[in-house]
Amino acid sequence: MAAKKNMPEDPYERFANAIVIQAAEDYRAALKRIKRNPKNRDAVDEALQIERFFRSGWYQILTSVDGEYMIRRLQEEIRQSE
């Protein structure tokens, strides 16, 4: 029950949030792979693709969080890890 406390009531808003959260998790994973192996082309391509999503009009429809802020925040998080 506590897990639902902060969830929006609107199913479309929950779905939009889920898309943004999944993109952030995928971007974080790609950045970690790049950090371990900067020549990993697949990880670089995936990170660039997700950055395009964060800068897209589709992303802006899904959330009010600035895409550039999201990119910077996740990059900083990975930079400071280990």
Side-chain angles (χ1 to χ4, degrees), residues 20 54 59-60 62-70:
V20 172
F54 285 139
Y59 173 82
Q60 292 173 2
L62 297 174
T63 183
S64 61
V65 177
D66 179 63
E68 291 297 332
Y69 171 78
M70 179 73 84

Side-chain angles (χ1 to χ4, degrees), residues 22-39:
Q22 186 63 55
E25 289 175 1
D26 291 348
Y27 187 60
R28 186 180 291 119
L31 292 177
K32 286 180 181 177
R33 292 195 328 263
I34 293 169
K35 187 175 182 179
R36 283 193 303 267
N37 179 8
K39 294 181 180 180

Side-chain angles (χ1 to χ4, degrees), residues 7 18 21-22 27 29 50-51 53 57 70 72 79:
M7 291 179 61
I21 289 168
Q22 186 63 55
Y27 187 60
I50 297 169
E51 285 179 8
F53 167 71
M70 179 73 84
R72 283 192 311 273
R79 197 174 300 117

